[in-house]
Amino acid sequence: AQTVTQSQPEMSVQEAETVTLSCTYDTSESDYYLFWYKQPPSRQMILVIRQEAYKQQNATENRFSVNFQKAAKSFSLKISDSQLGDAAMYFCAYRLMNSGNTPLVFGKGTRLSVIA
Amino acid sequence: DTGVSQDPRHKITKRGQNVTFRCDPISEHNRLYWYRQTLGQGPEFLTYFQNEAQLEKSRLLSDRFSAERPKGSFSTLEIQRTEQGDSAMYLCASSFVETNEKLFFGSGTQLSVL
């Protein structure tokens, strides 16, 4: 079974600084998606960034970028120029890329605090 | 369209009572998912529908849980004879099958069983 591990229950960062959230996963498959979701106090899960495993280039969305290391099964999220609105729970998630449907598998999350 | 909506946002019930939650997905989305999230954990998959067909159920979904999506639009999740262990946030998400990897989540229903 696929598993996703987030080893940092809590992280904090000063406003305008950079922070990296860690994620590792376990799978024997070669084709899959990886995601970072943000869950603010409003509780709605918001997709931050997505990476296809077949792509070597790391995904980037404005201030958010990932470091995808397929061989190491590592998928970290870097947030640059941190803003107060970035404070939230961040979940790493995995899903098989196949013709059927497999559900998202989430990690336990990392709570990010942004200090003004 | 304002996204995935869930009702109610909060539900407090006594052990042994039945509860029902509703999810209205984004209108053109044909896939609808239910997840459960307990404190300190990430969401766990419960079940999903493609149109009105329930295609997969997790082992987490005991016989006391039933989900329906009668017309392929909104969905309901019913829990019978609630137990304290059912206390959790129940999240609904939807997607369009052609872009299945993009799930849009609702804000969840927080269930507290006393």
Side-chain angles (χ1 to χ4, degrees), chain B residues 30-84:
Chain B
N30 46 16
R31 283 194 173 163
L32 186 148
Y33 304 79
W34 285 99
Y35 282 81
R36 181 173 70 186
Q37 185 178 18
T38 54
L39 200 62
Q41 303 291 322
E44 296 172 295
F45 170 76
L46 292 178
T47 188
Y48 95 96
F49 293 82
Q50 181 159 323
N51 301 314
E52 66 276 8
Q54 187 174 17
L55 297 186
E56 187 173 343
K57 293 195 289 186
S58 160
R59 289 173 296 175
L60 293 175
L61 213 65
S62 76
D63 292 343
R64 296 183 298 103
F65 287 69
S66 62
E68 294 182 344
R69 194 183 183 197
K71 297 181 180 179
S73 57
F74 73 91
S75 175
T76 57
L77 177 67
E78 181 183 16
I79 309 174
Q80 296 181 326
R81 305 181 303 282
T82 53
E83 300 173 357
Q84 288 185 326

Side-chain angles (χ1 to χ4, degrees), chain B residues 8-27:
Chain B
R9 272 184 71 82
H10 302 274
K11 179 70 178 179
I12 300 173
T13 191
K14 292 183 178 179
R15 188 176 55 186
Q17 298 294 306
N18 299 344
V19 294
T20 301
F21 311 140
R22 176 179 171 126
C23 171
D24 286 88
I26 293 172
S27 57

Side-chain angles (χ1 to χ4, degrees), chain A:
Chain A
Q2 291 82 18
T3 57
V4 176
T5 302
Q6 293 179 249
S7 59
Q8 305 154 317
E10 296 184 356
M11 292 283 285
S12 63
V13 62
Q14 292 278 352
E15 196 176 5
E17 296 296 309
T18 296
V19 65
T20 298
L21 307 184
S22 301
C23 173
T24 58
Y25 57 94
D26 185 25
T27 184
S28 57
E29 305 290 339
S30 58
D31 295 325
Y32 48 86
Y33 297 104
L34 294 164
F35 307 84
W36 280 97
Y37 278 87
K38 171 184 177 182
Q39 188 177 41
S42 67
R43 309 184 315 194
Q44 187 170 22
M45 300 282 280
I46 301 165
L47 179 64
V48 174
I49 200 164
R50 179 189 68 187
Q51 175 82 41
E52 292 88 346
Y54 63 83
K55 291 186 177 178
Q56 292 186 334
Q57 186 172 6
N58 289 324
T60 299
E61 289 285 346
N62 300 315
R63 297 182 296 106
F64 298 88
S65 61
V66 298
N67 183 3
F68 174 47
Q69 301 290 327
K70 191 172 185 179
K73 297 180 183 176
S74 170
F75 183 62
S76 61
L77 174 70
K78 185 171 81 171
I79 306 174
S80 303
D81 186 25
S82 297
Q83 301 175 359
L84 294 177
D86 295 332
M89 285 291 292
Y90 285 83
F91 292 96
C92 179
Y94 162 102
R95 193 180 81 79
L96 265 180
M97 184 189 299
N98 57 16
S99 59
N101 181 75
T102 52
L104 281 170
V105 177
F106 287 88
K108 292 187 176 182
T110 296
R111 182 176 302 280
L112 178 67
S113 302
V114 181
I115 302 165

